[in-house]
Amino acid sequence: SAVFYGLSSFLITVVNKTVLTSYRFPSFLVLSLGQLTASIVVLFVAKRLQLVKFPDFSRDIPRRIFPLPLIYLGNMMFGLGGTQALSLPMFAALRRFSILLTMLLELLVLGIRPTLAVKVSVFAMVGGALMAALDDLSFNLQGYMYVMITNTLTAANGVYMKKKLDTADMGKYGLMYYNSLFMILPALVGTWLAGDIERAWQYEGWNDPFFAAQFLLSCVMGFILSYSVILCTQHNSALTTTIVGCLKNISVTYIGMFIGGDYVFSLLNALGINISVAGSLLYTYVTFRKKPNSGTGGSSGDGSSDKKLLLPAAGRIDNV
């Protein structure tokens, strides 16, 4: 299950990049529309076959899950936009800002204070990303804006998802299904008004079976990724899931230098990316290292320290 999750997480990033950059597919909006449609179809069929369970539609469901559908749609669209506009190493580095934003949101909303070691690792990730950005020879302002919007939405999604899972009583699959269902029509209208449906219709690569297969794979990979996260956590642990996600990000960073053909090497940029990678490894270590049991009356101190740790939900460190 850990290998399955690692492969799924790696493939969705690489396939999205290949479709949008290598094949020059003209619209990330149409691709996000395809992913929404695939999530609705897969979850609807899975419920009919009793493979998954979530509540039937009722009038109060939109109120119970708002504003998650808006966050879900924005996260998907701007994430794909950033993937199209930036090289994978820079995309992976800048996505680590979401961890900083999540840390700040959890401090403000949930009152969770990270330890000094967690702060150092997060600032190393962010500092490395900033250093890489200073000498990004393929700089794309629009791509940077997309990624930072995605980071903000990812942090908000983590906080609101936890809140809704505790109160909405419909589970992860129900939230996925209704997020996609409520946003499919606004996404379709927005994509049509932007003229992207016509551009995608006129795209000449539809006759290429390799492109068609990867486009279809990209559409269904969102659900497969979510399922693999649950499976990995169920059979292993949240620790294993997050470490696999971290290792995937590192693989994407380095393999992305050769995939897509849009990474431009410079010494400062490469140094910043490596510092950001080192920070992500340190973050994984200091967040999940095992605490020795204290038998000398210091258990309360250890418990307090554990509560201060910024413990991310399974998969948060990952680029979904």
Side-chain angles (χ1 to χ4, degrees), residues 114-142:
T115 63
L116 177 61
V118 169
K119 292 178 182 177
V120 169
S121 64
V122 171
F123 289 139
M125 284 188 279
V126 173
L130 287 174
M131 181 185 297
L134 289 175
D135 199 27
D136 183 8
L137 299 181
S138 59
F139 177 79
N140 185 309
L141 178 60
Q142 188 180 50

Side-chain angles (χ1 to χ4, degrees), residues 38-320:
S39 296
I40 294 172
V41 172
V42 170
L43 286 170
F44 178 80
V45 173
K47 184 182 180 182
R48 288 291 183 180
L49 296 176
Q50 298 184 345
L51 298 176
V52 300
K53 294 181 180 180
F54 53 86
D56 294 329
F57 177 78
S58 62
R59 292 182 178 181
D60 66 331
I61 284 182
R63 175 186 56 80
R64 288 161 59 189
I65 68 173
F66 187 83
L68 270 181
L70 294 175
I71 297 174
Y72 181 80
L73 178 64
N75 202 359
M76 176 184 297
M77 285 188 169
F78 287 111
L80 288 171
T83 302
Q84 184 178 38
L86 299 176
S87 65
L88 282 181
M90 280 307 305
F91 179 80
L94 292 174
R95 283 291 281 132
R96 295 187 177 101
F97 274 87
S98 64
I99 299 175
L100 172 63
L101 294 174
T102 301
M103 184 175 73
L104 295 176
L105 270 180
E106 290 199 336
L107 176 62
L108 294 174
V109 177
L110 303 178
I112 299 177
R113 292 184 176 275
T115 63
L116 177 61
V118 169
K119 292 178 182 177
V120 169
S121 64
V122 171
F123 289 139
M125 284 188 279
V126 173
L130 287 174
M131 181 185 297
L134 289 175
D135 199 27
D136 183 8
L137 299 181
S138 59
F139 177 79
N140 185 309
L141 178 60
Q142 188 180 50
Y144 274 59
M145 291 175 60
Y146 284 164
V147 173
M148 295 312 297
I149 292 173
T150 302
N151 289 335
T152 304
L153 293 174
T154 297
N157 185 71
V159 175
Y160 278 102
M161 179 70 77
K162 178 176 175 58
K163 182 178 179 180
K164 296 302 180 180
L165 282 174
D166 292 338
T167 60
D169 191 29
M170 66 179 60
K172 186 179 184 70
Y173 291 121
L175 288 175
M176 286 176 57
Y177 178 77
Y178 289 114
N179 283 341
S180 301
L181 184 65
F182 294 147
M183 287 294 103
I184 187 70
L185 185 58
L188 178 61
V189 172
T191 303
W192 176 72
L193 290 176
D196 279 32
I197 292 181
E198 183 178 355
R199 281 193 289 270
W201 181 262
Q202 295 174 352
Y203 178 64
E204 298 178 353
W206 290 113
N207 293 327
D208 185 345
F210 294 102
F211 166 78
Q214 291 185 74
F215 184 90
L216 181 61
L217 181 61
S218 175
C219 289
V220 300
M221 279 301 297
F223 172 79
I224 294 175
L225 177 63
S226 297
Y227 176 72
S228 68
V229 168
I230 296 173
L231 199 64
C232 182
T233 305
Q234 177 184 355
H235 290 288
N236 299 285
S237 64
L239 167 61
T240 302
T241 302
T242 306
I243 289 178
V244 171
C246 180
L247 294 176
K248 185 275 304 185
N249 285 338
I250 295 173
S251 301
V252 166
T253 297
Y254 293 117
I255 294 177
M257 294 180 178
F258 306 96
I259 292 178
D262 54 356
Y263 176 71
V264 181
F265 174 84
S266 74
L267 184 60
L268 183 61
N269 180 269
L271 179 62
I273 288 175
N274 281 282
I275 291 175
S276 184
V277 166
S280 68
L281 289 173
L282 178 62
Y283 174 82
T284 302
Y285 171 73
V286 301
T287 304
F288 293 104
R289 71 185 187 278
K290 292 182 179 180
K291 297 287 185 180
N293 294 326
S294 174
T296 58
S299 59
S300 61
D302 287 344
S304 175
S305 176
D306 285 342
K307 290 179 181 179
K308 290 181 179 179
L309 281 174
L310 182 68
L311 294 175
R316 178 183 300 166
I317 199 173
D318 186 28
N319 284 326
V320 176

